[in-house]
Amino acid sequence: MRIKKNEGSDGTTNGAVKRERGHVHEQVLRYMRRGLMIGAFLPGQVMSLRKLAAGFGTSPMPVREVLSRLVAANALEETKGGSVRVPRLSPEKLSDLFAVRELLEGMATELAAKKAKPALIAELNGINKQLLQAIEKRDIANCLSSNQKFHFTLYEAAESEVLLPLIESLWLQFGPTMYMSLLIPSMPWNAADHEDILKALKEGNAAAAKRGIVHDIRTTCRALLSVAGSNGIELPFAQGPELLFEN
């Protein structure tokens, strides 16, 4: 995924270079957004421009542009020293984010449940089985990835052009806390709420499906708040683990 240098002046190569740069930019953005949403990047973690650029086999420029876009979207923050890091959410902001999640994701779930077909239920059931296997193996990366995939497969079924981007913006902000939720003894991951949601979808009970997603969100919020200090959730390590996930 190396960006080729400009080799000509006839406009043809210039156009190819611009397309390649655009492709790299979108690939970096897609990777970073997914990493934030599933919790592969952690609160307080500093984004290393050099490391990210090396990982993508590109120059720092597209990575810098992506980080700037994510700062503008409130998914990342710039420190006084000029570095970019994942924000630590205060208990107040965490509560606000999860309260809005209940509203938007509850609405999306209700809409999806009213349109749910057997193919969607089968797909969600398969994803949830992957999640349960990951939980049993304590496979953190796949726990986080499968959980996010379950939620967004459900929300996409609502077929709302308004709700999904709003939900994505929330996940970009709170997603980095999800890794910590796996470490809280008071809230062991068991996907019980997912099972309730699947049952409601099979029965065509939109209200029950909505209750299941709201309970899932609320339970996670309570657990995260139980370990959050005044400055947000404190990590027992300075940097996050190297979590590999599918782009």
PDB file of all heavy atoms in Angstrom, residues 3 5-6 17 19-20 54 67 74 93 95 101 118 120 128 152 157 162 167 193 203 236 239:
ATOM      1  N   ILE A   3       2.397   4.676  -1.539  1.00  0.00           N
ATOM      2  CA  ILE A   3       1.965   5.741  -2.426  1.00  0.00           C
ATOM      3  C   ILE A   3       3.067   6.027  -3.425  1.00  0.00           C
ATOM      4  O   ILE A   3       4.198   6.328  -3.049  1.00  0.00           O
ATOM      5  CB  ILE A   3       1.639   7.025  -1.645  1.00  0.00           C
ATOM      6  CG1 ILE A   3       0.470   6.756  -0.703  1.00  0.00           C
ATOM      7  CG2 ILE A   3       1.311   8.170  -2.575  1.00  0.00           C
ATOM      8  CD1 ILE A   3       0.126   7.918   0.172  1.00  0.00           C
ATOM      9  N   LYS A   5       5.192   7.985  -6.276  1.00  0.00           N
ATOM     10  CA  LYS A   5       5.530   9.380  -6.513  1.00  0.00           C
ATOM     11  C   LYS A   5       5.081   9.803  -7.901  1.00  0.00           C
ATOM     12  O   LYS A   5       4.922   9.000  -8.805  1.00  0.00           O
ATOM     13  CB  LYS A   5       7.046   9.586  -6.363  1.00  0.00           C
ATOM     14  CG  LYS A   5       7.546   9.372  -4.941  1.00  0.00           C
ATOM     15  CD  LYS A   5       9.022   9.664  -4.855  1.00  0.00           C
ATOM     16  CE  LYS A   5       9.529   9.472  -3.424  1.00  0.00           C
ATOM     17  NZ  LYS A   5      10.964   9.754  -3.316  1.00  0.00           N
ATOM     18  N   ASN A   6       4.872  11.093  -8.070  1.00  0.00           N
ATOM     19  CA  ASN A   6       4.486  11.650  -9.360  1.00  0.00           C
ATOM     20  C   ASN A   6       5.623  11.440 -10.362  1.00  0.00           C
ATOM     21  O   ASN A   6       6.755  11.812 -10.124  1.00  0.00           O
ATOM     22  CB  ASN A   6       4.201  13.157  -9.193  1.00  0.00           C
ATOM     23  CG  ASN A   6       3.660  13.756 -10.468  1.00  0.00           C
ATOM     24  OD1 ASN A   6       3.576  13.095 -11.491  1.00  0.00           O
ATOM     25  ND2 ASN A   6       3.290  15.015 -10.381  1.00  0.00           N
ATOM     26  N   VAL A  17      -2.025   9.121  -9.115  1.00  0.00           N
ATOM     27  CA  VAL A  17      -1.462   9.366  -7.783  1.00  0.00           C
ATOM     28  C   VAL A  17      -2.544   9.875  -6.835  1.00  0.00           C
ATOM     29  O   VAL A  17      -2.646   9.444  -5.683  1.00  0.00           O
ATOM     30  CB  VAL A  17      -0.294  10.369  -7.861  1.00  0.00           C
ATOM     31  CG1 VAL A  17       0.129  10.796  -6.458  1.00  0.00           C
ATOM     32  CG2 VAL A  17       0.891   9.738  -8.582  1.00  0.00           C
ATOM     33  N   ARG A  19      -5.751   9.373  -7.044  1.00  0.00           N
ATOM     34  CA  ARG A  19      -6.679   8.279  -6.725  1.00  0.00           C
ATOM     35  C   ARG A  19      -6.073   7.340  -5.693  1.00  0.00           C
ATOM     36  O   ARG A  19      -6.750   6.871  -4.786  1.00  0.00           O
ATOM     37  CB  ARG A  19      -7.046   7.509  -8.000  1.00  0.00           C
ATOM     38  CG  ARG A  19      -8.023   8.243  -8.910  1.00  0.00           C
ATOM     39  CD  ARG A  19      -8.576   7.308  -9.973  1.00  0.00           C
ATOM     40  NE  ARG A  19      -7.539   6.815 -10.869  1.00  0.00           N
ATOM     41  CZ  ARG A  19      -7.134   7.454 -11.952  1.00  0.00           C
ATOM     42  NH1 ARG A  19      -7.675   8.610 -12.282  1.00  0.00           N
ATOM     43  NH2 ARG A  19      -6.190   6.924 -12.720  1.00  0.00           N
ATOM     44  N   GLU A  20      -4.763   7.058  -5.848  1.00  0.00           N
ATOM     45  CA  GLU A  20      -4.088   6.179  -4.900  1.00  0.00           C
ATOM     46  C   GLU A  20      -4.053   6.796  -3.503  1.00  0.00           C
ATOM     47  O   GLU A  20      -4.284   6.125  -2.500  1.00  0.00           O
ATOM     48  CB  GLU A  20      -2.661   5.887  -5.382  1.00  0.00           C
ATOM     49  CG  GLU A  20      -1.835   5.001  -4.446  1.00  0.00           C
ATOM     50  CD  GLU A  20      -2.369   3.586  -4.346  1.00  0.00           C
ATOM     51  OE1 GLU A  20      -3.202   3.196  -5.175  1.00  0.00           O
ATOM     52  OE2 GLU A  20      -1.955   2.879  -3.413  1.00  0.00           O
ATOM     53  N   ALA A  54       3.840   3.369   9.320  1.00  0.00           N
ATOM     54  CA  ALA A  54       4.630   2.184   8.998  1.00  0.00           C
ATOM     55  C   ALA A  54       3.730   0.968   8.818  1.00  0.00           C
ATOM     56  O   ALA A  54       3.940   0.138   7.930  1.00  0.00           O
ATOM     57  CB  ALA A  54       5.658   1.923  10.095  1.00  0.00           C
ATOM     58  N   LEU A  67      -6.234  11.499  11.360  1.00  0.00           N
ATOM     59  CA  LEU A  67      -6.260  11.850  12.782  1.00  0.00           C
ATOM     60  C   LEU A  67      -6.926  13.212  12.982  1.00  0.00           C
ATOM     61  O   LEU A  67      -7.690  13.400  13.938  1.00  0.00           O
ATOM     62  CB  LEU A  67      -4.851  11.850  13.361  1.00  0.00           C
ATOM     63  CG  LEU A  67      -4.125  10.498  13.403  1.00  0.00           C
ATOM     64  CD1 LEU A  67      -2.757  10.650  14.055  1.00  0.00           C
ATOM     65  CD2 LEU A  67      -4.948   9.447  14.124  1.00  0.00           C
ATOM     66  N   ASN A  74     -14.572  14.552  17.401  1.00  0.00           N
ATOM     67  CA  ASN A  74     -14.552  14.314  18.854  1.00  0.00           C
ATOM     68  C   ASN A  74     -14.219  12.872  19.223  1.00  0.00           C
ATOM     69  O   ASN A  74     -14.427  12.464  20.362  1.00  0.00           O
ATOM     70  CB  ASN A  74     -15.883  14.713  19.502  1.00  0.00           C
ATOM     71  CG  ASN A  74     -16.178  16.183  19.376  1.00  0.00           C
ATOM     72  OD1 ASN A  74     -15.295  17.015  19.575  1.00  0.00           O
ATOM     73  ND2 ASN A  74     -17.414  16.522  19.025  1.00  0.00           N
ATOM     74  N   LYS A  93     -19.737  12.554  30.974  1.00  0.00           N
ATOM     75  CA  LYS A  93     -19.834  12.384  29.517  1.00  0.00           C
ATOM     76  C   LYS A  93     -20.195  10.954  29.161  1.00  0.00           C
ATOM     77  O   LYS A  93     -20.972  10.706  28.236  1.00  0.00           O
ATOM     78  CB  LYS A  93     -18.541  12.796  28.828  1.00  0.00           C
ATOM     79  CG  LYS A  93     -18.650  12.683  27.309  1.00  0.00           C
ATOM     80  CD  LYS A  93     -17.659  13.523  26.574  1.00  0.00           C
ATOM     81  CE  LYS A  93     -17.907  13.472  25.069  1.00  0.00           C
ATOM     82  NZ  LYS A  93     -16.920  14.244  24.296  1.00  0.00           N
ATOM     83  N   SER A  95     -21.997   8.933  30.914  1.00  0.00           N
ATOM     84  CA  SER A  95     -23.426   8.790  31.172  1.00  0.00           C
ATOM     85  C   SER A  95     -24.257   9.419  30.060  1.00  0.00           C
ATOM     86  O   SER A  95     -25.270   8.845  29.620  1.00  0.00           O
ATOM     87  CB  SER A  95     -23.790   9.438  32.515  1.00  0.00           C
ATOM     88  OG  SER A  95     -23.172   8.770  33.591  1.00  0.00           O
ATOM     89  N   ARG A 101     -27.313   6.767  23.514  1.00  0.00           N
ATOM     90  CA  ARG A 101     -27.287   5.439  22.896  1.00  0.00           C
ATOM     91  C   ARG A 101     -28.610   4.711  23.110  1.00  0.00           C
ATOM     92  O   ARG A 101     -29.142   4.091  22.182  1.00  0.00           O
ATOM     93  CB  ARG A 101     -26.170   4.594  23.497  1.00  0.00           C
ATOM     94  CG  ARG A 101     -24.765   4.871  22.981  1.00  0.00           C
ATOM     95  CD  ARG A 101     -23.830   3.758  23.451  1.00  0.00           C
ATOM     96  NE  ARG A 101     -24.163   2.496  22.810  1.00  0.00           N
ATOM     97  CZ  ARG A 101     -23.824   1.294  23.281  1.00  0.00           C
ATOM     98  NH1 ARG A 101     -23.162   1.202  24.437  1.00  0.00           N
ATOM     99  NH2 ARG A 101     -24.144   0.207  22.634  1.00  0.00           N
ATOM    100  N   PRO A 118     -36.139 -13.816   8.288  1.00  0.00           N
ATOM    101  CA  PRO A 118     -35.353 -14.964   8.785  1.00  0.00           C
ATOM    102  C   PRO A 118     -33.861 -14.863   8.473  1.00  0.00           C
ATOM    103  O   PRO A 118     -33.035 -15.305   9.277  1.00  0.00           O
ATOM    104  CB  PRO A 118     -35.994 -16.152   8.058  1.00  0.00           C
ATOM    105  CG  PRO A 118     -37.413 -15.729   7.841  1.00  0.00           C
ATOM    106  CD  PRO A 118     -37.351 -14.251   7.566  1.00  0.00           C
ATOM    107  N   LEU A 120     -31.943 -12.197   8.394  1.00  0.00           N
ATOM    108  CA  LEU A 120     -31.302 -11.315   9.372  1.00  0.00           C
ATOM    109  C   LEU A 120     -31.125 -12.036  10.695  1.00  0.00           C
ATOM    110  O   LEU A 120     -30.049 -11.974  11.307  1.00  0.00           O
ATOM    111  CB  LEU A 120     -32.140 -10.046   9.584  1.00  0.00           C
ATOM    112  CG  LEU A 120     -31.675  -9.144  10.732  1.00  0.00           C
ATOM    113  CD1 LEU A 120     -30.311  -8.545  10.437  1.00  0.00           C
ATOM    114  CD2 LEU A 120     -32.703  -8.040  11.009  1.00  0.00           C
ATOM    115  N   ASN A 128     -23.595 -14.012  16.930  1.00  0.00           N
ATOM    116  CA  ASN A 128     -23.630 -14.184  18.378  1.00  0.00           C
ATOM    117  C   ASN A 128     -22.930 -15.473  18.806  1.00  0.00           C
ATOM    118  O   ASN A 128     -22.298 -15.528  19.864  1.00  0.00           O
ATOM    119  CB  ASN A 128     -25.075 -14.191  18.887  1.00  0.00           C
ATOM    120  CG  ASN A 128     -25.179 -13.815  20.349  1.00  0.00           C
ATOM    121  OD1 ASN A 128     -24.638 -12.796  20.772  1.00  0.00           O
ATOM    122  ND2 ASN A 128     -25.845 -14.642  21.131  1.00  0.00           N
ATOM    123  N   PHE A 152     -24.218  -3.546  14.867  1.00  0.00           N
ATOM    124  CA  PHE A 152     -24.369  -2.779  13.630  1.00  0.00           C
ATOM    125  C   PHE A 152     -25.113  -3.551  12.541  1.00  0.00           C
ATOM    126  O   PHE A 152     -25.782  -2.948  11.704  1.00  0.00           O
ATOM    127  CB  PHE A 152     -23.013  -2.270  13.142  1.00  0.00           C
ATOM    128  CG  PHE A 152     -22.637  -0.974  13.783  1.00  0.00           C
ATOM    129  CD1 PHE A 152     -22.094  -0.945  15.053  1.00  0.00           C
ATOM    130  CD2 PHE A 152     -22.871   0.233  13.142  1.00  0.00           C
ATOM    131  CE1 PHE A 152     -21.776   0.254  15.671  1.00  0.00           C
ATOM    132  CE2 PHE A 152     -22.561   1.433  13.748  1.00  0.00           C
ATOM    133  CZ  PHE A 152     -22.011   1.454  15.019  1.00  0.00           C
ATOM    134  N   ALA A 157     -30.214  -2.971   9.653  1.00  0.00           N
ATOM    135  CA  ALA A 157     -31.488  -3.531   9.204  1.00  0.00           C
ATOM    136  C   ALA A 157     -32.650  -2.563   9.403  1.00  0.00           C
ATOM    137  O   ALA A 157     -33.719  -2.752   8.835  1.00  0.00           O
ATOM    138  CB  ALA A 157     -31.772  -4.840   9.933  1.00  0.00           C
ATOM    139  N   VAL A 162     -30.594   8.281   8.639  1.00  0.00           N
ATOM    140  CA  VAL A 162     -30.354   9.284   9.680  1.00  0.00           C
ATOM    141  C   VAL A 162     -29.763   8.647  10.934  1.00  0.00           C
ATOM    142  O   VAL A 162     -28.790   9.141  11.502  1.00  0.00           O
ATOM    143  CB  VAL A 162     -31.659  10.031  10.029  1.00  0.00           C
ATOM    144  CG1 VAL A 162     -31.437  10.981  11.208  1.00  0.00           C
ATOM    145  CG2 VAL A 162     -32.174  10.802   8.822  1.00  0.00           C
ATOM    146  N   ILE A 167     -25.471   6.927  15.293  1.00  0.00           N
ATOM    147  CA  ILE A 167     -25.022   5.834  16.154  1.00  0.00           C
ATOM    148  C   ILE A 167     -23.525   5.614  16.000  1.00  0.00           C
ATOM    149  O   ILE A 167     -22.804   5.399  16.981  1.00  0.00           O
ATOM    150  CB  ILE A 167     -25.808   4.543  15.834  1.00  0.00           C
ATOM    151  CG1 ILE A 167     -27.272   4.710  16.265  1.00  0.00           C
ATOM    152  CG2 ILE A 167     -25.184   3.334  16.528  1.00  0.00           C
ATOM    153  CD1 ILE A 167     -28.190   3.593  15.790  1.00  0.00           C
ATOM    154  N   ASP A 193     -28.171 -10.551  26.882  1.00  0.00           N
ATOM    155  CA  ASP A 193     -29.098  -9.600  26.265  1.00  0.00           C
ATOM    156  C   ASP A 193     -29.241  -9.861  24.768  1.00  0.00           C
ATOM    157  O   ASP A 193     -30.321  -9.670  24.193  1.00  0.00           O
ATOM    158  CB  ASP A 193     -28.632  -8.164  26.514  1.00  0.00           C
ATOM    159  CG  ASP A 193     -28.834  -7.733  27.953  1.00  0.00           C
ATOM    160  OD1 ASP A 193     -29.911  -8.011  28.508  1.00  0.00           O
ATOM    161  OD2 ASP A 193     -27.913  -7.136  28.526  1.00  0.00           O
ATOM    162  N   GLU A 203     -39.885 -13.800  17.571  1.00  0.00           N
ATOM    163  CA  GLU A 203     -41.303 -13.686  17.935  1.00  0.00           C
ATOM    164  C   GLU A 203     -41.973 -12.481  17.290  1.00  0.00           C
ATOM    165  O   GLU A 203     -43.188 -12.298  17.427  1.00  0.00           O
ATOM    166  CB  GLU A 203     -41.437 -13.593  19.456  1.00  0.00           C
ATOM    167  CG  GLU A 203     -40.980 -14.861  20.193  1.00  0.00           C
ATOM    168  CD  GLU A 203     -40.957 -14.690  21.697  1.00  0.00           C
ATOM    169  OE1 GLU A 203     -41.134 -13.527  22.161  1.00  0.00           O
ATOM    170  OE2 GLU A 203     -40.773 -15.695  22.408  1.00  0.00           O
ATOM    171  N   PRO A 236      -4.802   0.150  33.865  1.00  0.00           N
ATOM    172  CA  PRO A 236      -3.677  -0.363  34.654  1.00  0.00           C
ATOM    173  C   PRO A 236      -2.387  -0.436  33.848  1.00  0.00           C
ATOM    174  O   PRO A 236      -1.425  -1.029  34.265  1.00  0.00           O
ATOM    175  CB  PRO A 236      -4.159  -1.781  35.036  1.00  0.00           C
ATOM    176  CG  PRO A 236      -5.053  -2.174  33.914  1.00  0.00           C
ATOM    177  CD  PRO A 236      -5.735  -0.904  33.471  1.00  0.00           C
ATOM    178  N   GLN A 239      -0.164   1.956  27.802  1.00  0.00           N
ATOM    179  CA  GLN A 239      -0.580   1.788  26.407  1.00  0.00           C
ATOM    180  C   GLN A 239      -1.478   0.566  26.300  1.00  0.00           C
ATOM    181  O   GLN A 239      -1.395  -0.360  27.098  1.00  0.00           O
ATOM    182  CB  GLN A 239       0.638   1.612  25.486  1.00  0.00           C
ATOM    183  CG  GLN A 239       1.453   2.859  25.298  1.00  0.00           C
ATOM    184  CD  GLN A 239       0.789   3.866  24.347  1.00  0.00           C
ATOM    185  OE1 GLN A 239      -0.286   3.618  23.839  1.00  0.00           O
ATOM    186  NE2 GLN A 239       1.424   4.994  24.141  1.00  0.00           N
TER     187      GLN A 239
END
